[in-house]
Amino acid sequence: MIQFQIAKWAAWAPSLDEQASWLSWLKAPDFHFEDGTPSLSEMPVMLRRRVGRLGKMALQVAYWASDEVAHCPVIFASRYGDIAQSVVQLNQLAQSNTVSPTAFSMSVHNAISALFSIARKETASYTAIAAGQETVEAAFTEALALLADGAASVLLVYYDEPLPSPHHIFIDSPSFPHAFACQLVKSEQGISLSSKVSEQNHARDDLPNSIAALRFLLSDRPKYQHTVGARTWVWQRNA
């Protein structure tokens, strides 16, 4: 089984934009955030002006966690994507039977990765992933497959915002705007990810799965398990 370690990482949430503040917050999480948007000063203005807050969150951590020279495959993963913009467009369609082509083009799931590719003049592969409650695990599985296929490193970006009305009734865990990016490399004794048939009784985490996985990755904990239906994902740190 292929194992990995994190060579570089970055994360962003309102009032949390430094590694030290994230490591402190993960020890005692609370969900009282102020509003905010990352500056994304690294991206050219003509491209940056096309990006909404969700996209700026994802792109900001991608810039922070990527290397200037060494380009690598990139994975952008989000459970809901830009669903807030989708709701706006559906309402416009219902009221006027028209949709802005520009707004639509920026709301599709691979729009953010395309802008990152254009801005950096990248020719490496890009993948956009959404897999419901298992989006984080699906993204890391894709990253491990790329490492097994010979990639020297893989940049993985995860981002999400709370579900807007009227879909907010489907929120199933604490929800807040957040994004993180990890540059993954192969390791002989690193972290592995596998799955097994779930047990009947399992503890429910007090964090969104994406943040619970990030907390495990940045800690020295030996194991983190995430159960979805009949499957349990096992994240394990191997000595």
Side-chain angles (χ1 to χ4, degrees):
M1 180 184 302
I2 190 168
Q3 300 178 33
F4 69 94
Q5 65 180 8
I6 296 174
K8 197 172 182 180
W9 70 275
W12 185 92
S15 71
L16 292 175
D17 57 4
E18 297 180 353
Q19 291 187 347
S21 59
W22 268 99
L23 293 173
S24 176
W25 183 86
L26 288 169
K27 293 178 181 177
D30 70 74
F31 301 99
H32 299 90
F33 293 103
E34 298 178 357
D35 201 10
T37 302
S39 63
L40 193 59
S41 57
E42 297 85 348
M43 176 167 272
V45 176
M46 292 298 289
L47 291 176
R48 187 171 69 229
R49 66 191 302 178
R50 300 171 59 185
V51 188
R53 185 174 80 157
L54 181 67
K56 287 181 178 177
M57 290 162 42
L59 291 166
Q60 185 66 85
V61 295
Y63 272 104
W64 285 344
S66 59
D67 291 329
E68 289 288 337
V69 179
H71 297 171
C72 63
V74 183
I75 298 168
F76 279 83
S78 178
R79 180 176 177 183
Y80 300 117
D82 201 348
I83 192 171
Q85 183 56 236
S86 297
V87 170
V88 170
Q89 292 176 52
L90 287 171
N91 286 329
Q92 290 176 344
L93 187 64
Q95 294 170 7
S96 62
N97 206 31
T98 60
V99 172
S100 162
T102 302
F104 174 76
S105 69
M106 288 306 303
S107 68
V108 298
H109 210 60
N110 60 354
I112 295 172
S113 59
L115 282 181
F116 191 60
S117 172
I118 294 169
R120 289 170 54 88
K121 297 180 172 59
E122 291 269 15
T123 57
S125 69
Y126 277 71
T127 306
I129 289 180
Q133 297 179 59
E134 299 168 283
T135 297
V136 176
E137 285 82 6
F140 273 82
T141 298
E142 176 69 14
L144 294 178
L146 289 166
L147 291 176
D149 200 35
S153 64
V154 176
L155 179 64
L156 187 155
V157 182
Y158 183 93
Y159 58 101
D160 252 326
E161 280 190 311
L163 281 173
S165 176
H167 301 292
H168 64 287
I169 59 174
F170 299 109
I171 293 175
D172 53 14
S173 65
S175 182
F176 62 97
H178 65 277
F180 66 82
C182 300
Q183 191 176 134
L184 309 182
V185 296
K186 287 175 67 174
S187 174
E188 293 297 326
Q189 291 185 321
I191 298 170
S192 61
L193 175 62
S194 61
S195 64
K196 63 180 183 180
V197 176
S198 66
E199 301 167 354
Q200 288 188 340
N201 298 316
H202 59 270
R204 189 177 179 84
D205 207 290
D206 57 349
L207 292 173
N209 173 44
S210 54
I211 297 298
L214 179 65
R215 180 172 62 181
F216 165 77
L217 292 170
L218 301 181
S219 72
D220 57 0
R221 298 183 182 192
K223 181 184 290 188
Y224 163 61
Q225 295 193 147
H226 175 222
T227 297
V228 181
R231 179 167 40 240
T232 293
W233 291 94
V234 182
W235 302 70
Q236 187 159 329
R237 182 168 279 102
N238 304 289

